Amino acid sequence: KVRGMSCEICAATVEKAAKQIDGVIAVSVSHKQGTADVTYDSGKVTPAGIEKTLNAKTPFKATAPAEQK
Protein backbone atom coordinates (compact mmCIF):
# COMPACT_ATOMS: atom_id res chain seq x y z
CA LYS A 1 0.00 0.00 0.00
CA VAL A 2 0.99 3.60 -0.62
CA ARG A 3 -1.04 6.23 1.19
CA GLY A 4 -1.31 9.88 0.22
CA MET A 5 -1.32 9.64 -3.58
CA SER A 6 -4.04 11.67 -5.28
CA CYS A 7 -3.03 11.82 -8.95
CA GLU A 8 -0.97 10.29 -11.75
CA ILE A 9 1.97 12.57 -10.93
CA CYS A 10 1.99 11.10 -7.41
CA ALA A 11 2.02 7.60 -8.87
CA ALA A 12 4.82 8.54 -11.27
CA THR A 13 6.87 9.88 -8.34
CA VAL A 14 6.55 6.57 -6.49
CA GLU A 15 7.28 4.58 -9.65
CA LYS A 16 10.41 6.59 -10.41
CA ALA A 17 11.72 6.19 -6.86
CA ALA A 18 11.04 2.44 -6.89
CA LYS A 19 12.78 1.93 -10.22
CA GLN A 20 15.93 3.51 -8.80
CA ILE A 21 16.20 0.84 -6.07
CA ASP A 22 18.84 -1.77 -6.85
CA GLY A 23 17.04 -5.08 -7.24
CA VAL A 24 13.68 -3.70 -8.37
CA ILE A 25 12.83 -5.31 -11.70
CA ALA A 26 9.41 -3.80 -12.44
CA VAL A 27 6.83 -1.62 -10.72
CA SER A 28 3.21 -0.68 -11.38
CA VAL A 29 1.63 2.07 -9.28
CA SER A 30 -2.07 3.00 -9.00
CA HIS A 31 -2.99 6.19 -7.20
CA LYS A 32 -6.68 5.20 -7.37
CA GLN A 33 -6.08 1.92 -5.55
CA GLY A 34 -3.22 3.25 -3.42
CA THR A 35 -0.95 0.40 -4.44
CA ALA A 36 2.50 -0.25 -5.82
CA ASP A 37 3.04 -3.74 -7.24
CA VAL A 38 6.77 -4.37 -7.23
CA THR A 39 8.69 -7.23 -8.82
CA TYR A 40 12.12 -7.52 -7.24
CA ASP A 41 15.21 -9.70 -6.91
CA SER A 42 15.04 -11.07 -3.35
CA GLY A 43 18.80 -11.54 -3.42
CA LYS A 44 19.29 -7.78 -3.68
CA VAL A 45 16.40 -6.14 -1.83
CA THR A 46 13.60 -6.98 0.61
CA PRO A 47 10.05 -5.62 0.82
CA ALA A 48 11.07 -3.83 4.04
CA GLY A 49 13.99 -2.24 2.19
CA ILE A 50 11.71 -1.08 -0.62
CA GLU A 51 9.27 0.34 1.95
CA LYS A 52 12.05 2.19 3.77
CA THR A 53 13.45 3.69 0.57
CA LEU A 54 10.06 4.80 -0.78
CA ASN A 55 9.24 6.45 2.56
CA ALA A 56 12.58 8.28 2.52
CA LYS A 57 12.46 9.38 -1.13
CA THR A 58 8.78 10.29 -1.57
CA PRO A 59 6.26 12.30 0.47
CA PHE A 60 3.95 9.26 0.63
CA LYS A 61 3.58 6.46 3.19
CA ALA A 62 4.50 3.05 1.79
CA THR A 63 3.70 -0.11 3.74
CA ALA A 64 4.87 -3.54 2.61
CA PRO A 65 2.43 -6.40 3.21
CA ALA A 66 2.99 -7.84 6.71
CA GLU A 67 3.59 -11.34 5.35
CA GLN A 68 6.46 -10.02 3.23
CA LYS A 69 8.34 -8.03 5.88
Side-chain angles (χ1 to χ4, degrees), residues 1-2 18 21-24 36-55 62-69:
K1 292 282 186 186
V2 182
I21 301 170
D22 185 36
V24 169
D37 295 319
V38 181
T39 303
Y40 61 94
D41 178 343
S42 61
K44 293 185 177 183
V45 68
T46 64
I50 295 168
E51 175 186 303
K52 183 178 178 180
T53 301
L54 291 179
N55 288 333
T63 306
E67 68 272 8
Q68 293 182 356
K69 286 188 179 182

Side-chain angles (χ1 to χ4, degrees), residues 6-68:
S6 61
C7 65
E8 286 297 321
I9 293 171
C10 299
T13 299
V14 172
E15 187 170 326
K16 181 179 178 182
K19 286 181 176 179
Q20 294 175 349
I21 301 170
D22 185 36
V24 169
I25 298 164
V27 61
S28 175
V29 181
S30 169
H31 76 278
K32 290 180 182 179
Q33 295 180 354
T35 60
D37 295 319
V38 181
T39 303
Y40 61 94
D41 178 343
S42 61
K44 293 185 177 183
V45 68
T46 64
I50 295 168
E51 175 186 303
K52 183 178 178 180
T53 301
L54 291 179
N55 288 333
K57 295 193 174 210
T58 72
F60 310 107
K61 175 66 177 157
T63 306
E67 68 272 8
Q68 293 182 356

